[in-house]
Coordinates of all heavy atoms in Angstrom, one line a residue:
M1 N 37.7 -57.8 -1.5 CA 37.5 -59.0 -0.8 C 36.0 -59.2 -0.5 O 35.4 -58.2 -0.2 CB 38.3 -59.1 0.5 CG 37.9 -60.2 1.4 SD 38.8 -60.6 2.9 CE 39.5 -59.1 3.5
P2 N 35.4 -60.4 -0.7 CA 34.0 -60.5 -0.2 C 33.8 -60.2 1.2 O 34.6 -60.5 2.0 CB 33.8 -62.0 -0.6 CG 34.8 -62.4 -1.5 CD 36.0 -61.5 -1.2
K3 N 32.6 -59.6 1.4 CA 32.2 -59.1 2.7 C 30.8 -59.4 3.1 O 30.0 -59.1 2.2 CB 32.7 -57.7 2.9 CG 32.7 -57.0 4.2 CD 33.2 -55.7 4.1 CE 33.0 -54.9 5.4 NZ 33.4 -53.5 5.2
R4 N 30.5 -59.7 4.3 CA 29.0 -59.9 4.7 C 28.5 -58.4 4.8 O 29.0 -57.5 5.3 CB 29.1 -60.5 6.0 CG 29.6 -61.9 6.1 CD 28.5 -62.9 5.9 NE 29.1 -64.2 6.2 CZ 28.8 -65.3 5.6 NH1 27.9 -65.2 4.6 NH2 29.2 -66.5 5.9
I5 N 27.2 -58.4 4.3 CA 26.5 -57.1 4.5 C 25.9 -57.1 6.0 O 26.1 -56.0 6.6 CB 25.3 -57.1 3.5 CG1 25.7 -57.1 2.2 CG2 24.3 -55.9 3.9 CD1 24.6 -57.2 1.0
D6 N 25.5 -58.2 6.5 CA 25.0 -58.3 7.8 C 25.8 -59.4 8.6 O 25.5 -60.5 8.5 CB 23.6 -58.6 8.0 CG 23.1 -58.7 9.4 OD1 23.8 -58.5 10.2 OD2 21.9 -59.2 9.5
P7 N 27.0 -59.1 9.2 CA 27.8 -60.1 9.7 C 27.4 -60.8 11.1 O 28.0 -61.7 11.6 CB 29.2 -59.4 9.9 CG 28.8 -58.0 10.2 CD 27.6 -57.8 9.4
D8 N 26.3 -60.3 11.7 CA 26.0 -60.8 13.0 C 25.0 -62.0 13.0 O 24.4 -62.4 14.0 CB 25.3 -59.7 13.7 CG 26.3 -58.5 14.1 OD1 27.5 -58.9 14.1 OD2 25.9 -57.4 14.2
T9 N 24.8 -62.7 11.9 CA 23.9 -63.7 11.9 C 24.6 -65.1 11.6 O 23.9 -66.1 11.3 CB 22.8 -63.6 10.8 OG1 23.6 -63.5 9.5 CG2 22.0 -62.3 11.0
E10 N 25.9 -65.1 11.9 CA 26.6 -66.4 11.7 C 26.4 -67.4 12.9 O 26.8 -66.9 13.9 CB 28.1 -66.1 11.4 CG 28.2 -65.3 10.1 CD 29.6 -64.6 10.0 OE1 30.2 -64.3 11.1 OE2 30.1 -64.4 8.9
T11 N 25.9 -68.5 12.6 CA 25.6 -69.5 13.7 C 26.1 -70.9 13.6 O 26.0 -71.7 14.5 CB 24.1 -69.6 13.9 OG1 23.5 -70.1 12.8 CG2 23.5 -68.2 14.4
V12 N 26.7 -71.1 12.4 CA 27.4 -72.4 12.2 C 28.9 -72.2 12.3 O 29.4 -71.3 11.9 CB 27.0 -73.0 10.9 CG1 27.7 -74.3 10.6 CG2 25.5 -73.1 10.7
T13 N 29.6 -73.2 12.9 CA 31.1 -73.1 12.8 C 31.6 -74.4 12.4 O 31.0 -75.6 12.4 CB 31.6 -72.9 14.3 OG1 31.3 -74.0 15.1 CG2 31.3 -71.5 14.8
F14 N 32.8 -74.3 11.6 CA 33.6 -75.5 11.1 C 34.9 -75.0 11.1 O 35.2 -73.9 11.5 CB 33.0 -75.9 9.7 CG 33.3 -74.9 8.7 CD1 34.4 -75.0 7.8 CD2 32.4 -73.9 8.4 CE1 34.7 -74.2 6.8 CE2 32.8 -72.9 7.4 CZ 33.8 -73.1 6.6
T15 N 35.8 -75.9 10.8 CA 37.3 -75.6 10.9 C 37.8 -75.7 9.5 O 37.5 -76.6 8.6 CB 38.0 -76.5 11.9 OG1 38.0 -77.8 11.4 CG2 37.6 -76.4 13.3
F16 N 38.8 -74.8 9.2 CA 39.7 -74.9 8.0 C 41.0 -74.8 8.4 O 41.5 -73.8 9.1 CB 39.3 -73.7 7.0 CG 40.1 -73.8 5.8 CD1 39.9 -74.6 4.8 CD2 41.2 -72.8 5.6 CE1 40.6 -74.7 3.7 CE2 42.0 -72.8 4.4 CZ 41.7 -73.7 3.5
E17 N 41.8 -75.9 8.1 CA 43.2 -76.0 8.6 C 43.3 -75.7 10.1 O 44.2 -75.1 10.6 CB 44.1 -75.0 7.8 CG 44.2 -75.2 6.3 CD 45.1 -76.4 6.0 OE1 46.1 -76.6 6.6 OE2 44.7 -77.2 5.2
G18 N 42.2 -76.2 10.8 CA 42.3 -76.0 12.3 C 41.7 -74.6 12.8 O 41.5 -74.6 14.0
Q19 N 41.5 -73.8 11.9 CA 41.0 -72.5 12.3 C 39.5 -72.5 12.3 O 38.8 -73.0 11.4 CB 41.4 -71.4 11.3 CG 40.9 -70.0 11.5 CD 41.3 -69.0 10.4 OE1 42.3 -69.4 9.6 NE2 40.7 -67.9 10.3
I20 N 38.9 -72.0 13.4 CA 37.4 -72.0 13.5 C 36.8 -70.9 12.5 O 37.2 -69.7 12.6 CB 36.9 -71.6 14.9 CG1 37.4 -72.8 15.8 CG2 35.4 -71.4 15.0 CD1 37.2 -72.7 17.2
I21 N 35.9 -71.3 11.6 CA 35.3 -70.4 10.7 C 33.8 -70.3 11.0 O 33.1 -71.3 11.2 CB 35.4 -71.0 9.2 CG1 36.8 -71.3 8.8 CG2 34.7 -70.0 8.2 CD1 37.8 -70.1 8.8
R22 N 33.3 -69.1 11.1 CA 31.8 -68.8 11.5 C 31.1 -68.7 10.1 O 31.6 -67.9 9.2 CB 31.7 -67.6 12.3 CG 32.3 -67.7 13.7 CD 32.4 -66.4 14.3 NE 31.2 -65.6 14.3 CZ 30.3 -65.7 15.2 NH1 30.3 -66.6 16.2 NH2 29.2 -64.9 15.1
A23 N 30.0 -69.3 10.0 CA 29.2 -69.3 8.7 C 27.7 -69.2 9.0 O 27.3 -69.2 10.2 CB 29.4 -70.6 8.0
R24 N 27.0 -68.9 8.0 CA 25.5 -68.9 8.2 C 24.9 -70.2 7.7 O 25.4 -70.8 6.7 CB 25.0 -67.8 7.2 CG 25.3 -66.4 7.6 CD 24.8 -65.4 6.8 NE 25.1 -64.0 7.1 CZ 24.9 -62.9 6.4 NH1 24.4 -63.1 5.2 NH2 25.2 -61.8 6.9
P25 N 23.8 -70.6 8.2 CA 23.1 -71.7 7.6 C 22.8 -71.4 6.2 O 22.4 -70.2 5.8 CB 21.8 -71.8 8.5 CG 22.2 -71.2 9.8 CD 23.1 -70.1 9.4
G26 N 23.1 -72.3 5.3 CA 22.8 -72.1 3.8 C 24.0 -71.7 3.1 O 24.1 -71.8 1.9
D27 N 25.1 -71.3 3.8 CA 26.4 -71.0 3.2 C 26.9 -72.3 2.6 O 26.7 -73.4 3.2 CB 27.4 -70.5 4.3 CG 27.5 -69.0 4.4 OD1 27.0 -68.3 3.5 OD2 28.1 -68.6 5.4
T28 N 27.7 -72.2 1.6 CA 28.6 -73.2 1.2 C 30.0 -73.1 1.9 O 30.3 -72.0 2.4 CB 28.9 -73.3 -0.3 OG1 29.6 -72.1 -0.8 CG2 27.5 -73.4 -1.1
V29 N 30.7 -74.1 1.9 CA 32.2 -74.0 2.4 C 32.8 -72.9 1.7 O 33.5 -72.0 2.4 CB 32.9 -75.3 2.3 CG1 34.4 -75.1 2.7 CG2 32.3 -76.4 3.2
A30 N 32.7 -72.7 0.5 CA 33.5 -71.7 -0.3 C 32.9 -70.3 0.0 O 33.8 -69.4 0.2 CB 33.3 -71.9 -1.9
S31 N 31.6 -70.1 0.2 CA 31.2 -68.8 0.5 C 31.6 -68.4 1.9 O 32.0 -67.2 2.2 CB 29.7 -68.7 0.3 OG 29.0 -69.5 1.1
A32 N 31.6 -69.4 2.9 CA 32.0 -69.0 4.2 C 33.5 -68.7 4.3 O 33.9 -67.8 5.0 CB 31.7 -70.2 5.2
L33 N 34.3 -69.5 3.5 CA 35.7 -69.1 3.5 C 36.0 -67.8 2.9 O 36.8 -67.0 3.4 CB 36.5 -70.3 2.8 CG 36.5 -71.6 3.5 CD1 37.2 -72.6 2.7 CD2 37.2 -71.5 4.9
A34 N 35.3 -67.5 1.7 CA 35.5 -66.3 1.1 C 35.1 -65.0 2.0 O 35.8 -64.0 2.2 CB 34.6 -66.1 -0.2
A35 N 34.0 -65.2 2.8 CA 33.6 -64.2 3.7 C 34.6 -64.0 4.9 O 34.6 -63.0 5.5 CB 32.2 -64.5 4.2
S36 N 35.3 -65.1 5.1 CA 36.4 -65.1 6.1 C 37.7 -64.5 5.7 O 38.7 -64.6 6.4 CB 36.5 -66.4 6.8 OG 35.3 -66.7 7.5
G37 N 37.8 -64.2 4.4 CA 39.0 -63.8 3.8 C 40.0 -64.8 3.3 O 41.2 -64.5 3.0
I38 N 39.5 -66.1 3.3 CA 40.4 -67.2 2.9 C 40.2 -67.4 1.4 O 39.1 -67.8 1.0 CB 40.1 -68.5 3.7 CG1 40.5 -68.1 5.1 CG2 40.9 -69.6 3.2 CD1 40.0 -69.2 6.2
R39 N 41.3 -67.4 0.7 CA 41.2 -67.5 -0.8 C 41.9 -68.7 -1.3 O 41.7 -69.2 -2.4 CB 41.7 -66.2 -1.5 CG 40.9 -65.0 -1.3 CD 41.6 -63.8 -1.9 NE 40.6 -62.7 -1.8 CZ 40.5 -61.8 -2.6 NH1 41.2 -61.8 -3.7 NH2 39.7 -60.8 -2.5
H40 N 43.0 -69.1 -0.6 CA 43.8 -70.3 -1.0 C 43.1 -71.6 -0.5 O 43.4 -71.9 0.6 CB 45.2 -70.0 -0.6 CG 46.2 -71.1 -0.8 ND1 47.4 -71.2 -0.2 CD2 46.2 -72.1 -1.6 CE1 48.1 -72.2 -0.6 NE2 47.4 -72.9 -1.5
L41 N 42.5 -72.3 -1.5 CA 42.0 -73.6 -1.0 C 42.6 -74.8 -1.3 O 42.5 -75.9 -0.8 CB 40.5 -73.6 -1.7 CG 39.6 -72.5 -1.4 CD1 38.2 -72.8 -1.9 CD2 39.5 -72.2 0.1
R42 N 43.6 -74.7 -2.5 CA 44.3 -75.9 -2.8 C 45.4 -75.5 -3.6 O 45.6 -74.4 -4.0 CB 43.5 -76.9 -3.7 CG 43.2 -76.4 -5.0 CD 42.5 -77.6 -5.9 NE 42.1 -77.1 -7.2 CZ 42.9 -77.4 -8.2 NH1 44.0 -78.1 -8.1 NH2 42.5 -77.0 -9.5
D43 N 46.4 -76.5 -3.8 CA 47.5 -76.2 -4.6 C 47.4 -77.0 -5.9 O 47.0 -78.3 -5.9 CB 48.9 -76.6 -4.0 CG 49.1 -75.6 -2.8 OD1 48.9 -74.5 -2.9 OD2 49.6 -76.2 -1.7
S44 N 47.7 -76.5 -7.1 CA 47.6 -77.2 -8.4 C 48.4 -78.4 -8.4 O 49.7 -78.4 -7.9 CB 48.1 -76.2 -9.5 OG 48.2 -77.1 -10.7
A45 N 48.0 -79.6 -8.8 CA 48.7 -80.8 -8.9 C 49.8 -80.7 -9.9 O 50.8 -81.4 -9.9 CB 47.8 -82.0 -9.2
V46 N 49.6 -79.8 -10.9 CA 50.5 -79.7 -12.1 C 51.7 -78.6 -11.8 O 52.8 -79.0 -11.9 CB 49.8 -79.2 -13.4 CG1 50.8 -79.0 -14.5 CG2 48.7 -80.2 -13.8
S47 N 51.3 -77.5 -11.3 CA 52.3 -76.5 -11.1 C 52.6 -76.1 -9.6 O 53.6 -75.5 -9.4 CB 51.8 -75.2 -11.8 OG 50.7 -74.7 -11.1
G48 N 51.7 -76.7 -8.7 CA 52.0 -76.3 -7.4 C 51.4 -74.9 -7.0 O 51.5 -74.4 -5.8
E49 N 50.9 -74.3 -8.0 CA 50.3 -72.8 -7.8 C 49.1 -72.9 -6.9 O 48.3 -73.8 -7.1 CB 50.1 -72.1 -9.0 CG 51.3 -71.9 -9.9 CD 52.2 -70.8 -9.3 OE1 51.7 -69.7 -8.7 OE2 53.4 -71.1 -9.2
P50 N 48.8 -71.9 -6.1 CA 47.6 -71.8 -5.3 C 46.3 -71.6 -6.2 O 46.5 -70.9 -7.2 CB 47.8 -70.6 -4.4 CG 48.9 -69.8 -5.0 CD 49.7 -70.7 -5.8
R51 N 45.3 -72.2 -5.8 CA 44.0 -72.2 -6.5 C 43.0 -71.8 -5.4 O 43.1 -72.2 -4.2 CB 43.6 -73.5 -7.1 CG 44.5 -73.8 -8.3 CD 44.1 -72.9 -9.4 NE 44.9 -73.4 -10.7 CZ 46.1 -72.8 -11.1 NH1 46.6 -71.8 -10.4 NH2 46.7 -73.2 -12.1
G52 N 41.8 -71.2 -5.9 CA 40.7 -70.8 -5.1 C 39.4 -70.8 -5.7 O 39.4 -71.4 -6.9
I53 N 38.5 -70.2 -5.3 CA 37.2 -70.1 -5.9 C 37.3 -69.4 -7.2 O 38.1 -68.4 -7.3 CB 36.1 -69.6 -5.0 CG1 36.4 -68.1 -4.5 CG2 35.8 -70.4 -3.8 CD1 35.4 -67.4 -3.9
F54 N 36.5 -69.8 -8.2 CA 36.5 -69.2 -9.5 C 35.0 -69.0 -9.9 O 34.6 -68.0 -10.1 CB 37.3 -69.9 -10.5 CG 37.4 -69.2 -11.8 CD1 38.0 -68.1 -12.0 CD2 36.9 -69.8 -13.0 CE1 38.1 -67.5 -13.3 CE2 36.9 -69.3 -14.2 CZ 37.5 -68.1 -14.4
C55 N 34.4 -70.1 -10.3 CA 33.0 -70.0 -10.8 C 32.0 -70.0 -9.8 O 30.9 -69.5 -10.0 CB 32.8 -71.3 -11.8 SG 32.6 -72.7 -11.0
M56 N 32.1 -70.6 -8.6 CA 31.1 -70.7 -7.6 C 29.9 -71.4 -8.0 O 28.8 -71.2 -7.4 CB 30.8 -69.3 -7.0 CG 31.9 -68.7 -6.2 SD 32.2 -69.6 -4.7 CE 31.1 -68.9 -3.6
M57 N 30.0 -72.3 -8.9 CA 28.7 -73.0 -9.4 C 29.1 -74.5 -9.9 O 28.4 -75.1 -10.6 CB 28.0 -72.3 -10.5 CG 28.9 -72.1 -11.8 SD 27.8 -71.3 -13.0 CE 28.7 -71.6 -14.4
G58 N 30.3 -75.0 -9.4 CA 30.6 -76.4 -9.7 C 31.1 -76.8 -11.0 O 31.1 -77.9 -11.4
A59 N 31.6 -75.7 -11.8 CA 32.0 -76.1 -13.0 C 33.5 -76.1 -13.3 O 34.0 -76.9 -14.1 CB 31.4 -75.0 -14.1
C60 N 34.3 -75.4 -12.5 CA 35.7 -75.2 -12.7 C 36.6 -76.2 -11.9 O 37.7 -76.5 -12.4 CB 36.1 -73.8 -12.6 SG 36.3 -73.4 -10.8
F61 N 36.2 -76.7 -10.8 CA 36.9 -77.6 -9.9 C 38.1 -77.0 -9.4 O 39.0 -77.6 -8.9 CB 37.3 -78.9 -10.6 CG 36.0 -79.7 -10.9 CD1 35.1 -79.5 -11.9 CD2 35.8 -80.8 -10.0 CE1 34.1 -80.3 -12.2 CE2 34.7 -81.6 -10.3 CZ 33.8 -81.4 -11.3
D62 N 38.2 -75.6 -9.4 CA 39.3 -75.0 -8.7 C 39.3 -74.9 -7.2 O 40.2 -74.6 -6.6 CB 39.4 -73.5 -9.2 CG 40.4 -73.4 -10.5 OD1 40.9 -74.4 -10.9 OD2 40.5 -72.2 -11.0
C63 N 38.1 -75.2 -6.7 CA 37.9 -75.1 -5.2 C 38.0 -76.4 -4.5 O 37.6 -76.4 -3.4 CB 36.6 -74.4 -5.0 SG 35.2 -75.5 -5.5
L64 N 38.7 -77.4 -5.0 CA 38.7 -78.7 -4.3 C 39.4 -78.6 -2.9 O 40.4 -78.0 -2.8 CB 39.4 -79.7 -5.3 CG 38.8 -80.1 -6.6 CD1 39.6 -81.0 -7.3 CD2 37.3 -80.6 -6.4
V65 N 38.7 -79.2 -2.0 CA 39.3 -79.3 -0.6 C 39.0 -80.6 -0.1 O 38.3 -81.5 -0.7 CB 38.5 -78.3 0.3 CG1 39.0 -76.8 -0.1 CG2 37.0 -78.5 0.3
E66 N 39.6 -80.9 1.1 CA 39.4 -82.2 1.8 C 38.3 -81.8 2.9 O 38.6 -80.9 3.7 CB 40.7 -82.7 2.4 CG 40.5 -83.9 3.1 CD 41.9 -84.3 3.9 OE1 42.8 -84.7 3.2 OE2 41.9 -84.2 5.1
V67 N 37.2 -82.6 2.9 CA 36.2 -82.4 3.9 C 36.0 -83.7 4.7 O 35.8 -84.8 4.2 CB 34.8 -82.1 3.2 CG1 33.8 -81.9 4.3 CG2 35.0 -80.8 2.4
N68 N 36.3 -83.7 6.0 CA 36.2 -84.8 6.9 C 37.0 -85.9 6.4 O 36.5 -87.0 6.4 CB 34.8 -85.2 7.2 CG 34.1 -84.1 8.0 OD1 34.7 -83.2 8.6 ND2 32.7 -84.1 8.0
G69 N 38.2 -85.7 5.9 CA 39.1 -86.8 5.4 C 38.8 -87.1 3.9 O 39.6 -88.0 3.4
Q70 N 37.7 -86.6 3.3 CA 37.4 -87.0 2.0 C 38.0 -86.0 1.0 O 37.6 -84.8 1.1 CB 36.0 -87.0 1.7 CG 35.2 -88.1 2.5 CD 35.4 -89.5 2.0 OE1 35.4 -89.6 0.7 NE2 35.7 -90.4 2.9
P71 N 38.9 -86.3 0.1 CA 39.5 -85.3 -0.9 C 38.6 -85.1 -2.0 O 37.5 -85.7 -2.2 CB 40.8 -86.1 -1.4 CG 40.5 -87.6 -1.3 CD 39.5 -87.7 0.0
N72 N 38.9 -84.1 -2.8 CA 38.3 -83.8 -4.1 C 36.8 -83.3 -3.9 O 36.0 -83.6 -4.7 CB 38.4 -84.9 -5.1 CG 39.8 -85.2 -5.5 OD1 40.6 -84.3 -5.6 ND2 40.1 -86.5 -5.7
R73 N 36.5 -82.6 -2.8 CA 35.2 -82.1 -2.5 C 35.1 -80.7 -3.0 O 36.1 -79.9 -2.7 CB 34.7 -82.1 -1.1 CG 34.9 -83.5 -0.5 CD 34.0 -84.5 -1.2 NE 32.7 -84.2 -1.2 CZ 31.7 -84.8 -0.5 NH1 32.0 -85.8 0.3 NH2 30.5 -84.4 -0.5
Q74 N 34.1 -80.4 -3.8 CA 34.0 -79.0 -4.2 C 33.5 -78.0 -3.2 O 32.4 -78.2 -2.7 CB 33.1 -78.9 -5.5 CG 33.7 -79.4 -6.7 CD 32.7 -79.6 -7.8 OE1 31.7 -80.5 -7.7 NE2 32.8 -78.8 -8.9
A75 N 34.3 -77.1 -2.8 CA 33.9 -76.2 -1.6 C 32.7 -75.4 -2.0 O 31.8 -75.2 -1.1 CB 35.1 -75.3 -1.2
C76 N 32.5 -75.0 -3.3 CA 31.4 -74.3 -3.7 C 30.1 -75.1 -3.8 O 29.0 -74.5 -3.9 CB 31.7 -73.6 -5.0 SG 31.7 -74.7 -6.4
M77 N 30.1 -76.3 -3.7 CA 28.9 -77.2 -3.8 C 28.7 -78.0 -2.5 O 27.8 -78.8 -2.4 CB 29.1 -78.2 -4.9 CG 29.3 -77.6 -6.3 SD 28.0 -76.5 -6.9 CE 26.7 -77.6 -7.3
T78 N 29.5 -77.6 -1.5 CA 29.4 -78.4 -0.1 C 28.7 -77.4 0.8 O 29.3 -76.5 1.3 CB 30.8 -78.8 0.4 OG1 31.4 -79.6 -0.7 CG2 30.6 -79.5 1.7
P79 N 27.4 -77.7 1.3 CA 26.9 -76.9 2.3 C 27.7 -77.0 3.7 O 28.2 -78.1 4.0 CB 25.4 -77.4 2.5 CG 25.4 -78.5 1.4 CD 26.7 -78.8 0.9
V80 N 27.7 -75.8 4.4 CA 28.3 -75.9 5.7 C 27.4 -76.7 6.6 O 26.2 -76.7 6.5 CB 28.7 -74.5 6.3 CG1 29.6 -73.8 5.5 CG2 27.3 -73.7 6.4
S81 N 28.0 -77.3 7.6 CA 27.3 -77.8 8.7 C 28.2 -77.9 9.9 O 29.5 -77.7 9.8 CB 26.9 -79.3 8.5 OG 27.9 -80.2 8.1
Q82 N 27.7 -77.9 11.0 CA 28.4 -77.8 12.3 C 29.5 -78.9 12.4 O 29.1 -80.1 12.1 CB 27.4 -78.0 13.5 CG 28.0 -77.5 14.8 CD 28.1 -76.0 14.9 OE1 27.5 -75.2 14.3 NE2 29.1 -75.6 15.6
D83 N 30.7 -78.5 12.7 CA 31.7 -79.5 13.0 C 32.4 -80.1 11.7 O 33.0 -81.1 11.8 CB 31.3 -80.5 14.0 CG 30.9 -80.0 15.3 OD1 31.5 -78.9 15.7 OD2 30.1 -80.5 15.9
L84 N 32.2 -79.5 10.5 CA 32.9 -80.0 9.4 C 34.4 -79.7 9.7 O 34.7 -78.6 10.1 CB 32.5 -79.3 8.1 CG 31.3 -79.7 7.4 CD1 31.1 -78.8 6.0 CD2 31.2 -81.1 7.0
A85 N 35.3 -80.6 9.2 CA 36.7 -80.4 9.3 C 37.2 -80.3 7.8 O 37.2 -81.3 7.1 CB 37.5 -81.5 10.1
V86 N 37.5 -79.1 7.4 CA 37.9 -78.8 6.1 C 39.4 -78.5 6.0 O 39.9 -77.8 6.9 CB 37.2 -77.6 5.4 CG1 37.6 -77.4 4.0 CG2 35.6 -77.9 5.5
N87 N 40.1 -79.1 5.1 CA 41.6 -78.7 4.9 C 41.9 -78.5 3.5 O 41.3 -78.9 2.6 CB 42.4 -80.0 5.4 CG 42.4 -80.2 6.9 OD1 42.9 -79.3 7.7 ND2 41.8 -81.2 7.4
R88 N 42.9 -77.7 3.3 CA 43.5 -77.4 2.1 C 44.0 -78.7 1.3 O 44.5 -79.6 2.0 CB 44.6 -76.4 2.2 CG 45.2 -75.9 0.9 CD 46.2 -74.7 1.2 NE 45.4 -73.4 1.7 CZ 45.7 -72.8 2.7 NH1 46.7 -73.2 3.5 NH2 45.0 -71.7 3.1
Q89 N 43.7 -78.8 0.0 CA 44.3 -79.9 -0.7 C 45.5 -79.6 -1.4 O 45.5 -78.6 -2.2 CB 43.1 -80.4 -1.7 CG 43.4 -81.7 -2.4 CD 42.3 -82.3 -3.1 OE1 41.2 -82.5 -2.4 NE2 42.3 -82.5 -4.4
N90 N 46.5 -80.4 -1.1 CA 47.9 -80.0 -1.6 C 48.1 -81.0 -2.7 O 48.4 -82.2 -2.5 CB 48.9 -80.1 -0.6 CG 48.6 -79.2 0.5 OD1 48.3 -78.0 0.3 ND2 48.5 -79.6 1.8
G91 N 48.2 -80.5 -4.0 CA 48.5 -81.2 -5.2 C 47.5 -82.3 -5.5 O 46.4 -82.2 -5.2
G92 N 48.0 -83.4 -6.3 CA 47.1 -84.4 -6.7 C 46.7 -85.4 -5.5 O 47.5 -85.5 -4.6
V93 N 45.7 -86.1 -5.7 CA 45.3 -87.1 -4.8 C 45.4 -88.5 -5.4 O 45.0 -88.8 -6.5 CB 43.8 -86.8 -4.3 CG1 43.3 -88.0 -3.4 CG2 43.7 -85.4 -3.7
E94 N 46.0 -89.4 -4.6 CA 46.2 -90.8 -5.1 C 44.8 -91.4 -5.1 O 44.1 -91.4 -4.3 CB 47.1 -91.5 -4.1 CG 47.4 -92.9 -4.6 CD 48.4 -93.5 -3.7 OE1 49.4 -92.9 -3.2 OE2 48.2 -94.7 -3.4
V95 N 44.6 -92.1 -6.3 CA 43.2 -92.7 -6.4 C 43.4 -94.2 -6.0 O 44.3 -94.9 -6.6 CB 42.7 -92.6 -7.8 CG1 41.5 -93.5 -8.0 CG2 42.4 -91.2 -8.2
K96 N 42.7 -94.7 -5.1 CA 42.8 -96.1 -4.7 C 41.7 -96.9 -5.3 O 40.6 -96.6 -5.3 CB 42.7 -96.2 -3.1 CG 43.9 -95.5 -2.4 CD 43.7 -95.5 -1.0 CE 44.8 -94.7 -0.4 NZ 44.6 -94.3 1.0
V97 N 42.1 -98.0 -6.0 CA 41.2 -98.9 -6.7 C 40.9 -100.1 -5.9 O 41.7 -100.6 -5.3 CB 41.7 -99.2 -8.1 CG1 40.6 -100.1 -8.8 CG2 41.9 -97.9 -8.8
Ligands
FES1 S1 34.6 -72.6 -7.8 FE1 34.4 -73.6 -9.7 S2 33.8 -75.6 -9.0 FE2 33.9 -74.5 -7.1

């Protein structure tokens, strides 16, 4: 499991599924969740299987989450900021035209 080398410098907080997550300035949502031991970020729209971080560079889209009510946000490309509300994305998201 990913682990902080120096865990005492976390000064930003946000929530994931209502749970308070401590992060460092400069973290992405994905890195902060990984450091907190959270691996299950969404469920596949096709199989329903759990998905989590894979590439950590915006290429695979396995890390999609809902951020402040906005679906399909890549956790690995989203910087943390105070008071983000992040939720697991379950299955496909309806596209409104
Ligand atoms: S982990 Fe691959 S796009 Fe985020």
Side-chain angles (χ1 to χ4, degrees):
M1 172 172 27
K3 190 174 169 184
R4 299 267 192 216
I5 295 172
D6 177 8
D8 295 330
T9 60
E10 299 163 327
T11 58
V12 178
T13 60
F14 66 99
T15 62
F16 179 73
E17 295 286 319
Q19 176 185 345
I20 295 174
I21 304 296
R22 293 168 47 88
R24 293 178 179 170
D27 267 344
T28 64
V29 168
S31 65
L33 292 176
S36 297
I38 295 171
R39 295 175 172 216
H40 178 193
L41 302 188
R42 72 176 178 98
D43 295 318
S44 166
V46 176
S47 65
E49 293 294 314
R51 292 287 186 259
I53 58 173
F54 183 67
C55 73
M56 288 295 275
M57 61 181 195
C60 74
F61 290 79
D62 268 359
C63 65
L64 296 179
V65 291
E66 181 186 290
V67 177
N68 290 345
Q70 296 284 319
N72 296 325
R73 304 303 302 254
Q74 290 171 287
C76 70
M77 302 301 285
T78 304
V80 294
S81 61
Q82 196 69 28
D83 300 327
L84 282 182
V86 181
N87 286 297
R88 189 169 283 133
Q89 188 164 304
N90 298 310
V93 174
E94 185 176 318
V95 176
K96 296 177 184 161
V97 182

